[in-house]
Amino acid sequence: MTHAASVVVGYALTAAAVLAYAARVVRRGRSLGRSLGISGTGRNGDDAEHGREDRSGSDASRTPPGIEHGRDAASAAP
Amino acid sequence: MIETPEPDLRQQAQRAGSLTMTGSVATRVLGVVAIAAVGVMALLALWISPADAVQGDSVRLMYIHVPSIWVAYGGFVLTAFASARVLWRTRSGAGGTYGVIADRHARRWDRVAGAAAELGVLFTALTLVTGSLWGRVTWGTYWQWDARLTTTVLLFVTYLGYLALRRLPAESRARARRSAVMALIAVVNLPIVHYSVDWWRTLHQEASLNLEPGGDRNITGEMYWTLLYSWATFTVVALWIGIHRYRVLRLEELAEEASLEELLAQRRDEQAAGR
Amino acid sequence: MWREIWLVCRKDLIIEWRARVTLIQIVPTVLLVLVVFAFALDANPSLLGAGAGGLFWVAVLFGAVLGAKRSFDIEAEGGNLDGLRLGGLVPAAILWGKAAALALQMVLVGVFAAAGLLVLYSVTVHDWLLIVVAGLCGMAAFAICGTLYGAMTVGLRSADTLLPLLLIPVAAPVLLAGTRAFDVALGTSADQGWSWTALLAVVLVTYIAVGWAAAGPLLEDA
């Protein structure tokens, strides 16, 4: 391998790895945001998929009455 | 009823997600700065700075190799600090319901630890790869059992293990504390690893030559400034990605809780229907 | 405190005595590793002799991974760990009791592995004292590491596959120092065997300190 080739490979690999990681982070964020219904760009289609969510994805619409804070499975499960 | 930890979590996420999913004005500005900095860095590192008299063009690998490991070290230091904070905020007696972290700060530090460790692993991997390339053209071999290389590869594997441990499903409190302990053990172990490997190599070989790209050779002013600038660039890029990763971790927690709520709601509906 | 440690240690040893997992599973595996190394090195006596110190420690490290796994398998079944904690044992007592039991079992493994070295690789020992001291320090260090990481992964679904990844890097200094010390004791190297043993002791003391600090966070809500 020539010196120049090693530099090209090194820079290309670095750029590719960082870009791939960043893309993965962003994609994961997008898909999570969409499924949580908190996306500003979310269209009605997204919300229709998750019928119980309104545009703002507020707590009240998601949580049925009786279970305000269902975080603690151990205590809330019957 | 147990008090909900971080009640404004969803609102926060909404606010953060109002532009894009994990973006905000600050991260957008940071992103533009990062991209511009990378552009300038490419010019400086590949064009303006001179080739080395001995190493030739391969010296340019130094401008990504050295900043990579600096950023990785920074990430691991941050992981350790955040882990100490997690342990402190969740110590016995400090409020916390069974299984779930109640403390908002502990949850935040836990995310910081996770995001920083991931970036650390990424940049350690890049350090190893670029170092190997440099070694191939300079020493004629991809690998040397040099103390620093050996320590770095052990560091890499250690934090891969840390990330693997973080991924395992568990209750949030146990998971956060367990990972925090592991991160701190890794930090305590690192000097021992470095010292023993160093001793191993120096006793059994003539002190190895200048094995670090750049090493202690006098570098010119342009090279020095390019290196420093590259380090700043890498830091900005890592920060940018890290902040996004932190927010994605928050969304992951939200999604976990949302699915739990959904399950509970289903359960409740079933019961109501059966009654 | 000492009494509680002894209780936990005795419990583990009694379970081992009844099930004999270390004796009839881990020890044979370690010996098998020694045999397999001979395959890898083409049963070349000079190569095996030169590498004997290192091969011993690699084989024992595999044994330690298995031992650590086993040590917490018996706690994961049926929520034993919860039982111990509910019984009023402090986390440190559980950790040190289990570490002590694991250390004793590792010494057993080490004795068999050393015997295997003498028989299979026909090494000659120049310094028995060095072997014994370095061996004991190394086994104790492995045991503490193994217990810490065993506690960290107890009850997790992929603990079996994760444990080696966590344990081997952290045990690397022990492997290195133990190998150097054994090489000197076996006469294959003119290194400073006792300095390496001192390093082993330093590592051991560090792990003991880490164990004290980590016992609470690891075991109180594992």
Side-chain angles (χ1 to χ4, degrees):
Chain A
M1 203 190 300
T2 67
H3 287 216
S6 77
V7 172
V8 171
V9 173
Y11 276 69
L13 275 176
T14 302
V18 174
L19 275 176
Y21 178 72
R24 215 187 117 241
V25 169
V26 169
R27 230 184 356 238
R28 179 115 178 91
R30 290 240 159 114
S31 80
L32 278 168
R34 209 175 297 132
S35 71
L36 282 164
I38 55 172
S39 86
T41 53
R43 298 283 170 261
N44 283 328
D46 291 336
D47 291 337
E49 237 174 84
H50 308 272
R52 286 171 357 95
E53 293 161 4
D54 63 6
R55 285 293 301 250
S56 66
S58 75
D59 249 326
S61 72
R62 302 185 46 80
T63 317
I67 305 181
E68 275 89 17
H69 308 293
R71 278 168 213 275
D72 194 334
S75 71
Chain B
M1 197 86 238
I2 288 142
E3 205 204 323
T4 308
E6 219 167 332
D8 60 340
L9 200 66
R10 179 159 294 144
Q11 283 85 0
Q12 280 178 26
Q14 262 173 276
R15 235 180 293 132
S18 56
L19 284 171
T20 64
M21 306 313 143
T22 54
S24 62
V25 178
T27 51
R28 291 199 157 182
V29 172
L30 197 61
V32 171
V33 171
I35 290 168
V38 168
V40 175
M41 185 196 143
L43 273 182
L44 269 177
L46 296 174
W47 192 259
I48 297 172
S49 75
D52 187 75
V54 183
Q55 298 177 34
D57 277 331
S58 73
V59 75
R60 299 185 196 284
L61 281 171
M62 184 174 87
Y63 305 132
I64 49 176
H65 175 81
V66 178
S68 290
I69 197 64
W70 284 349
V71 168
Y73 283 152
F76 295 144
V77 167
L78 186 56
T79 302
F81 178 76
S83 298
R85 296 295 303 158
V86 167
L87 284 181
W88 177 250
R89 302 287 315 194
T90 58
R91 68 197 182 278
S92 35
T97 51
Y98 179 79
V100 178
I101 305 180
D103 186 83
R104 180 187 305 181
H105 299 284
R107 299 176 74 140
R108 285 184 185 155
W109 284 119
D110 182 46
R111 287 179 218 135
V112 169
E118 259 187 40
L119 282 164
V121 166
L122 174 72
F123 282 101
T124 311
L126 288 174
T127 305
L128 289 169
V129 169
T130 51
S132 295
L133 283 169
W134 184 88
R136 185 76 187 95
V137 293
T138 312
W139 316 320
T141 160
Y142 285 109
W143 191 261
Q144 289 262 358
W145 288 102
D146 163 61
R148 220 184 293 190
L149 272 125
T150 313
T151 308
T152 307
V153 82
L154 284 171
L155 180 76
F156 176 62
V157 180
T158 302
Y159 279 90
L160 270 187
Y162 170 81
L163 291 181
L165 186 69
R166 284 189 68 93
R167 288 172 71 96
L168 297 186
E171 280 159 331
S172 66
R173 180 180 151 91
R175 182 171 58 185
R177 284 167 67 82
R178 184 195 299 139
S179 337
V181 170
M182 156 120 206
L184 291 179
I185 293 181
V187 166
V188 173
N189 203 47
L190 192 62
I192 302 179
V193 171
H194 184 80
Y195 177 65
S196 52
V197 173
D198 199 27
W199 199 11
W200 172 49
R201 293 324 294 170
T202 42
L203 276 181
H204 285 264
Q205 278 184 340
E206 316 75 69
S208 31
L209 313 164
N210 171 22
L211 289 183
E212 180 73 1
D216 45 20
R217 179 175 297 121
N218 288 327
I219 55 175
T220 68
E222 273 156 314
M223 289 178 176
Y224 179 77
W225 287 112
T226 307
L227 186 62
L228 217 58
Y229 177 80
S230 306
W231 170 71
T233 304
F234 270 59
T235 307
V236 172
V237 170
L239 258 179
W240 184 34
I241 303 177
I243 291 172
H244 278 279
R245 183 66 186 111
Y246 171 92
R247 291 180 177 158
V248 170
L249 280 169
R250 190 175 60 191
L251 288 179
E252 279 171 5
E253 284 168 25
L254 271 176
E256 232 168 78
E257 283 160 15
S259 68
L260 189 65
E261 281 172 17
E262 205 126 317
L263 277 176
L264 285 167
Q266 273 177 13
R267 196 73 183 271
R268 182 61 65 115
D269 291 346
E270 280 166 16
Q271 274 200 328
R275 207 182 292 138
Chain C
M1 184 68 184
W2 290 108
R3 216 184 85 80
E4 293 177 348
I5 294 177
W6 164 239
L7 281 176
V8 175
C9 175
R10 202 186 58 169
K11 170 193 80 79
D12 275 18
L13 290 177
I14 290 173
I15 293 176
E16 166 56 24
W17 180 249
R18 297 214 177 118
R20 292 201 178 82
V21 167
T22 302
L23 201 60
I24 63 176
Q25 291 181 14
I26 299 179
V27 166
T29 307
V30 168
L31 292 177
L32 196 58
V33 172
L34 292 180
V35 173
V36 171
F37 276 139
F39 296 165
L41 298 176
D42 211 12
N44 182 332
S46 62
L47 269 183
L48 286 175
L55 299 183
F56 169 89
W57 284 98
V58 171
V60 170
L61 175 58
F62 288 145
V65 173
L66 295 175
K69 179 75 185 84
R70 164 70 186 162
S71 170
F72 279 89
D73 272 353
I74 57 178
E75 303 300 348
E77 289 164 15
N80 282 351
L81 211 51
D82 293 329
L84 289 178
R85 280 196 308 259
L86 289 175
L89 289 175
V90 293
I94 302 177
L95 186 92
W96 293 118
K98 295 195 75 65
L102 183 58
L104 289 174
Q105 293 171 59
M106 287 314 300
V107 169
L108 182 77
V109 172
V111 167
F112 274 98
L117 228 54
L118 288 171
V119 174
L120 296 172
Y121 296 176
S122 50
V123 295
T124 46
V125 178
H126 292 72
D127 190 345
W128 275 105
L129 187 64
L130 186 57
I131 291 267
V132 171
V133 175
L136 286 178
C137 284
M139 298 307 151
F142 277 165
I144 295 175
C145 281
T147 310
L148 278 173
Y149 281 87
M152 207 178 282
T153 54
V154 65
L156 295 178
R157 233 173 294 147
S158 35
D160 316 36
T161 40
L162 183 56
L163 196 55
L165 177 62
L166 298 183
L167 199 48
I168 293 175
V170 88
V174 180
L175 200 65
L176 212 51
T179 300
R180 292 297 126 202
F182 266 42
D183 280 351
V184 176
L186 298 175
T188 54
S189 143
D191 205 343
Q192 300 151 17
W194 285 105
S195 307
W196 283 106
T197 310
L199 179 63
L200 274 178
V202 169
V203 171
L204 180 60
V205 169
T206 312
Y207 288 165
I208 289 175
V210 168
W212 276 114
L218 275 183
L219 283 167
E220 77 189 8
D221 52 4

